[in-house]
Amino acid sequence: MKNLWSDSDAKAAIDSHAKKGINADLALRVYTTRLLGGEPKLVLHGGGNTSVKTSVTGLLGETIPVLCVKGSGWDLGTIEPPGHPAVRLEPLRALRALDSLSDEAMVAAQRNNLIDPAAPNPSVEALLHAFLPHTFVDHTHSSALLALADQPDAAEVCRRVYGERVVLVPYVMPGFALAQSCAALYEEAAERAAASGVELEGMVLLKHGLFSFGATAKQSYERMIELVRLAEQRSEEHTSELQSRQYLVCRLLLE
């Protein structure tokens, strides 16, 4: 998995979008989202979603914290700024106080807090993005990661590959329950990581996919690439081990 980040391309994206009134946060969000979406090994199995926490100016000149998150119907590889509709962040985070929330009520709450009421529906995983503290959050369904996360002993395998760099999340159907589970497990893991001097870089959702996060678009993107590279490395080593065993079995049979 290659790191395709380019400082010059990132600057060009900021400059180009600035002419259209798009701030640097969203410009870089679009730039790295396209990098992820252009790699089939990351998005072949169900695409993914990305977000950035930033702010917009309201009608009265007030600053409104928002979550710009991938919207329904947009492809990561060709996404434009409207593909990350802005949703008021604080009302989304307030939903965490609930014990449960139906999918219908969740979608309604997200739509009610859109800055542009004509914007597409935010991703079903918008609350997961909102509940995490990081400015940039990336989510893919990496083929290499799924090869690990779909195993019967996936938790053990992933822990051997990543150590304490990631949060491991048992499978939960996407929606409010998953967002709650991820937020709680992240906070527990972050407390342990802080005590041991380890910085969390992402989350592995078993039988689902991979999240990375960071303070900048570059950091979150590069963490995604590195976490996927480690998964690829593990898969290659496993394949090599199997081939070695098969070779030894053949030798024994021929002797």
Side-chain angles (χ1 to χ4, degrees), residues 54-66 86 88 114-116:
T54 184
S55 63
V56 298
T57 302
L59 290 175
L60 301 178
E62 75 278 24
T63 298
I64 306 173
V66 295
R88 291 175 179 82
L114 283 168
I115 296 298
D116 178 1

Side-chain angles (χ1 to χ4, degrees), residues 1 47 65 115 141 191 217 223:
M1 185 58 56
I115 296 298
H141 299 110
E191 186 174 344
R223 284 176 170 176

Side-chain angles (χ1 to χ4, degrees), residues 151-246:
Q151 299 299 318
D153 58 345
E156 292 78 8
V157 171
C158 290
R159 188 57 74 202
R160 288 198 297 271
V161 172
Y162 296 121
E164 298 300 321
R165 296 167 63 175
V166 302
V167 185
L168 297 182
V169 181
Y171 182 78
V172 179
M173 185 74 74
F176 181 74
L178 176 61
Q180 289 280 58
S181 178
C182 287
L185 290 171
Y186 169 82
E187 289 170 354
E188 293 174 8
E191 186 174 344
R192 292 194 303 271
S196 58
V198 176
E199 185 174 3
L200 291 175
E201 301 174 23
M203 292 191 303
V204 173
L205 276 57
L206 301 179
K207 302 185 182 300
H208 181 153
L210 178 66
F211 276 80
S212 64
F213 30 66
T216 67
K218 182 178 182 180
Q219 184 180 56
S220 187
Y221 169 75
E222 290 187 336
R223 284 176 170 176
M224 175 63 71
I225 298 304
E226 176 61 12
L227 293 173
V228 171
R229 187 193 67 78
L230 290 172
E232 290 176 335
Q233 179 178 305
R234 168 59 185 169
S235 295
E236 291 168 1
E237 291 171 351
H238 183 62
T239 299
S240 179
E241 291 170 5
L242 288 177
Q243 290 173 340
S244 296
R245 291 175 188 172
Q246 291 170 349

Side-chain angles (χ1 to χ4, degrees), residues 1-253:
M1 185 58 56
K2 293 183 179 179
N3 182 344
L4 300 179
W5 174 277
S6 163
D7 287 340
S8 60
D9 287 349
K11 184 179 184 305
I14 292 173
D15 293 342
S16 174
H17 287 297
K19 298 174 183 177
K20 307 170 190 175
I22 304 298
N23 70 20
D25 288 340
L26 185 52
L28 290 173
R29 177 67 288 170
V30 171
Y31 169 63
T32 53
T33 299
R34 282 173 163 245
L35 292 184
L36 296 174
E39 174 49 71
K41 292 180 181 178
L42 293 177
V43 297
L44 182 62
H45 303 287
N49 41 70
T50 59
S51 71
V52 60
K53 297 176 182 73
T54 184
S55 63
V56 298
T57 302
L59 290 175
L60 301 178
E62 75 278 24
T63 298
I64 306 173
V66 295
L67 175 77
C68 293
V69 61
K70 190 256 184 186
S72 176
W74 282 86
D75 183 273
L76 295 185
T78 57
I79 200 163
E80 296 287 351
H84 282 96
V87 194
R88 291 175 179 82
L89 180 58
E90 294 310 318
L92 293 188
R93 285 181 162 168
L95 295 175
R96 195 173 168 200
L98 299 175
D99 293 327
S100 62
L101 186 68
S102 69
D103 288 347
E104 294 79 9
M106 180 182 71
V107 170
Q110 292 175 175
R111 284 213 60 83
N112 287 342
N113 285 289
L114 283 168
I115 296 298
D116 178 1
N121 281 340
S123 166
V124 69
E125 289 164 333
L127 290 185
L128 198 167
H129 288 256
F131 291 171
L132 292 173
H134 310 83
T135 302
F136 288 86
V137 178
D138 296 347
H139 174 41
T140 72
H141 299 110
S142 155
S143 298
L145 183 281
L146 289 172
L148 306 183
D150 283 349
Q151 299 299 318
D153 58 345
E156 292 78 8
V157 171
C158 290
R159 188 57 74 202
R160 288 198 297 271
V161 172
Y162 296 121
E164 298 300 321
R165 296 167 63 175
V166 302
V167 185
L168 297 182
V169 181
Y171 182 78
V172 179
M173 185 74 74
F176 181 74
L178 176 61
Q180 289 280 58
S181 178
C182 287
L185 290 171
Y186 169 82
E187 289 170 354
E188 293 174 8
E191 186 174 344
R192 292 194 303 271
S196 58
V198 176
E199 185 174 3
L200 291 175
E201 301 174 23
M203 292 191 303
V204 173
L205 276 57
L206 301 179
K207 302 185 182 300
H208 181 153
L210 178 66
F211 276 80
S212 64
F213 30 66
T216 67
K218 182 178 182 180
Q219 184 180 56
S220 187
Y221 169 75
E222 290 187 336
R223 284 176 170 176
M224 175 63 71
I225 298 304
E226 176 61 12
L227 293 173
V228 171
R229 187 193 67 78
L230 290 172
E232 290 176 335
Q233 179 178 305
R234 168 59 185 169
S235 295
E236 291 168 1
E237 291 171 351
H238 183 62
T239 299
S240 179
E241 291 170 5
L242 288 177
Q243 290 173 340
S244 296
R245 291 175 188 172
Q246 291 170 349
Y247 173 75
L248 290 173
V249 170
C250 290
R251 285 292 299 273
L252 290 171
L253 291 174

